[in-house]
Amino acid sequence: MAMTPKIRSELNATPVEADGIKYFDISDPKSGGRMRLYDFEWLVAAKMDGARRFDEVATWAQDALGIHPTAEDLAEFARRLRDLGFFQIDADFKDDVTPLPQPVPSAMASSAGEDVEVNVEAEPEPSPALKLAPSPAMDDGPTLPQGRPAMPDSPPPAPLPRAVTPPTARLGSPPSSSTDRLPAAPDEPPRKSGGGSMIVLLVLLLLGGGGLAYFKFLAPPQSQKVTVQVVSPREVVTLYDGAGTVTQGNAQALSFGEAGKVVDVVAKGTAVTAGQAVASLEAFGKIEKDLADVKDRLGFYEKQLTAAKAKGDDAKTKEAEAKVNEKKTLLATLEARAAKVRLVAASSGTVTDVMVTQGGDAKAGAPAIKIADNRLTVSFKLKPDEIGAIKPGSPMTMQPAAGGATIAGRFTRADGDSAVVELLDDATTVKAGDQLRLVKAKVPNVVPVPLSALVKRDGADTVFVLSDGEAKAHKVTVVDRTSGEALISSGLAAGDSVITSGTDSLQDGQKATTN
């Protein structure tokens, strides 16, 4: 007599009860597939361990479960479960058992005894959604692990059509004289899903392609076509959202604060830099000499103040402090007047107009010189907290919107919701009208992958790596995200082939090939 096939040891069987009927939910940790079986179906399947003969399992089923399959019935049942992926496939299980002829329903119903009712409906109706709840432990459960919950990210199993209405008959206890070493079934389960000839009926329905909704939930997923990207860690520049347009400063008109005789002035077309003097009145000469004298005396009295404090001489300290304050006040007055009689360029630029002449008179407040501002600035719209984190004068880095080498600048001021950045003088490759983006950070030694490669598995960021024809799940650490990429700092190695397409449906260990 043929030996049974061997049930897959990694399958998980969880007992459940719904509407008073007992089932087992079978899950495959490798493929993620799930399937619900009546309890007697799984209990019989679990006894097929590759070491028992079909007639031994048939005897056990009669004694323990009160059903009456033949060895041939169970062989056909095993073939169907094998096709669904329940068994290890080896040379010991051969298709050498002749299938049963198709019995008629009346013959099958009578074989169960008078206390079993079997109803084959003409058009199966979907059963209501199955609410899973743990059932009482069975003394004669399967030898595989039980009680493990279904995978949280898997959808619930599809409801089974009610091709078989399970009888409500009470199952008898096994005979006390039985010498079978297999454990006996419980004396009185709350309500059984089957009995009598239901194994025979199951085989008939499977042969006819009928009622029971056996789907190949446990069959391994087919190979999937994917695209990949080879991992190459590198430094990545992250950018703020949006871009800014480079603008050039407006022309400035400079005028004297006092009237007087012009003693020197630059020529039209002269290139000037920030802080450079461009015109002076005659009064500036004397003010300049007075400024030098006041600065010299201020230095003298500051030294006296330091010495008096060191000696603890309060009188000398007060006298020196008074002189220091006097000279500082005079210095500020002279510097303010100097600004009125000498014109200084506020930024780099080019003199475009000269409205005064050397030796001529200048009027207070009248335009004397116009300078075209050569400064280039860019305004970037940022969030308030982002602008608040930047200090005036802080160095900033930009990059052309189309990509390329970075450009240096400095933050000058906040203008509403915009950060105004001035380009440094060495930014010779940039001109007004160019589009720039503001650099947020430079992140070293990370792997940029498309967002399509990143999925969630068990609450963790995960990517799949194609290795030896299989998709292998790798948990990764994401340090930053852009609109199109995720930056991964750990979980991948140089040379890994990261799968970038079809990741939502991929399963760990699934076969995959590149397009």
Side-chain angles (χ1 to χ4, degrees):
M1 177 60 65
M3 304 296 287
T4 65
K6 186 176 182 180
I7 198 79
R8 290 172 56 197
S9 61
E10 67 270 23
L11 298 182
N12 298 323
T14 303
V16 296
E17 185 175 344
D19 297 329
I21 300 175
K22 299 176 72 173
Y23 304 94
F24 277 95
D25 282 345
I26 316 302
S27 62
D28 183 356
K30 182 175 182 180
S31 70
R34 297 169 53 156
M35 188 171 181
R36 171 165 290 186
L37 295 180
Y38 288 118
D39 58 350
F40 73 89
E41 294 172 341
W42 173 247
L43 294 173
V44 170
K47 290 303 178 184
M48 298 184 186
D49 57 3
R52 293 184 175 94
R53 301 189 309 271
F54 282 110
D55 59 342
E56 290 181 293
V57 178
T59 300
W60 172 84
Q62 179 175 349
D63 293 342
L65 302 179
I67 58 177
H68 307 280
T70 66
E72 288 78 7
D73 294 339
L74 296 184
E76 184 59 35
F77 180 49
R79 288 193 185 93
R80 300 300 171 175
L81 293 184
R82 178 197 59 184
D83 293 341
L84 295 170
F86 278 76
F87 293 115
Q88 297 180 16
I89 304 301
D90 53 44
D92 292 335
F93 183 46
K94 302 177 181 178
D95 293 334
D96 58 359
V97 179
T98 304
L100 276 179
Q102 289 193 4
V104 296
S106 60
M108 291 182 297
S110 63
S111 68
E114 295 179 356
D115 59 343
V116 177
E117 177 185 352
V118 179
N119 177 27
V120 180
E121 297 177 343
E123 295 183 7
E125 299 174 0
S127 66
L130 297 174
K131 182 178 181 182
L132 305 185
S135 66
M138 301 186 67
D139 295 333
D140 187 46
T143 57
L144 300 184
Q146 299 187 31
R148 296 175 63 173
M151 297 176 67
D153 58 347
S154 299
L160 294 176
R162 295 189 312 191
V164 177
T165 302
T168 59
R170 172 179 173 181
L171 296 184
S173 301
S176 58
S177 61
S178 173
T179 58
D180 193 339
R181 289 180 296 173
L182 298 175
D187 290 338
E188 188 174 350
R191 184 180 177 190
K192 291 297 290 183
S193 62
S197 65
M198 292 195 65
I199 286 286
V200 180
L201 179 59
L202 171 61
V203 173
L204 173 66
L205 291 170
L206 289 174
L207 284 171
L212 283 177
Y214 277 93
F215 302 104
K216 292 190 178 181
F217 290 124
L218 297 176
Q222 293 185 354
S223 179
Q224 182 169 322
K225 293 285 187 179
V226 297
T227 56
V228 299
Q229 172 183 303
V230 178
V231 166
S232 179
R234 58 185 173 85
E235 181 182 75
V236 174
V237 174
T238 62
L239 305 170
Y240 288 98
D241 292 336
T245 303
V246 178
T247 59
Q248 189 166 5
N250 297 322
Q252 294 178 315
L254 306 180
S255 59
F256 292 106
E258 295 181 4
K261 182 179 179 180
V262 178
V263 293
D264 60 73
V265 63
V266 296
K268 180 180 179 180
T270 302
V272 296
T273 59
Q276 179 180 338
V278 294
S280 302
L281 297 182
E282 187 176 28
F284 179 73
K286 184 177 184 308
I287 295 172
E288 187 176 30
K289 181 178 180 302
D290 290 343
L291 281 170
D293 290 341
V294 171
K295 289 178 180 178
D296 180 67
R297 297 307 296 167
L298 175 62
F300 171 77
Y301 289 120
E302 285 177 337
K303 290 179 180 179
Q304 282 194 336
L305 177 60
T306 301
K309 287 182 176 180
K311 293 177 180 180
D313 189 335
D314 292 340
K316 290 288 186 181
T317 298
K318 288 183 179 180
E319 182 181 346
E321 283 180 342
K323 288 293 185 180
V324 167
N325 291 335
E326 176 188 327
K327 298 307 177 185
K328 284 184 176 181
T329 301
L330 181 57
L331 182 63
T333 301
L334 289 172
E335 287 177 341
R337 189 169 177 223
K340 294 180 179 180
V341 298
R342 187 180 67 161
L343 302 182
V344 177
S347 62
S348 61
T350 303
V351 176
T352 58
D353 288 289
V354 178
M355 282 78 80
V356 295
T357 58
Q358 187 172 349
D361 293 329
K363 295 181 179 180
I369 290 178
K370 285 187 178 180
I371 300 176
D373 192 348
N374 287 346
R375 289 181 302 175
L376 298 177
T377 59
V378 190
S379 293
F380 298 99
K381 288 191 177 299
L382 300 179
K383 298 176 182 177
D385 59 326
E386 293 172 337
I387 295 179
I390 307 174
K391 295 180 179 180
S394 297
M396 306 295 288
T397 305
M398 293 154 288
Q399 187 179 58
T406 56
I407 301 161
R410 68 170 63 89
F411 175 69
T412 58
R413 68 185 188 279
D415 185 8
D417 61 351
S418 297
V420 180
V421 179
E422 179 183 351
L423 278 67
L424 300 185
D425 291 338
D426 58 357
T428 57
T429 60
V430 184
K431 63 184 183 300
D434 288 349
Q435 293 285 305
L436 301 181
R437 295 189 65 184
L438 188 61
V439 173
K440 182 187 296 184
K442 292 184 178 181
V443 187
N445 198 34
V446 292
V447 177
V449 300
L451 290 179
S452 60
L454 194 66
V455 295
K456 285 287 187 182
R457 290 291 187 270
D458 297 330
D461 289 321
T462 303
V463 300
F464 287 94
V465 172
L466 185 61
S467 177
D468 296 328
E470 291 186 351
K472 300 293 187 181
H474 287 228
K475 291 184 178 180
V476 295
T477 301
V478 178
V479 294
D480 200 1
R481 284 178 171 84
T482 67
S483 58
E485 288 185 328
L487 303 184
I488 296 174
S489 62
S490 65
L492 293 173
D496 283 347
S497 296
V498 174
I499 297 176
T500 59
S501 65
T503 53
D504 287 341
S505 60
L506 275 180
Q507 299 172 11
D508 188 27
Q510 182 175 345
K511 296 294 184 181
T513 57
T514 56
N515 289 324

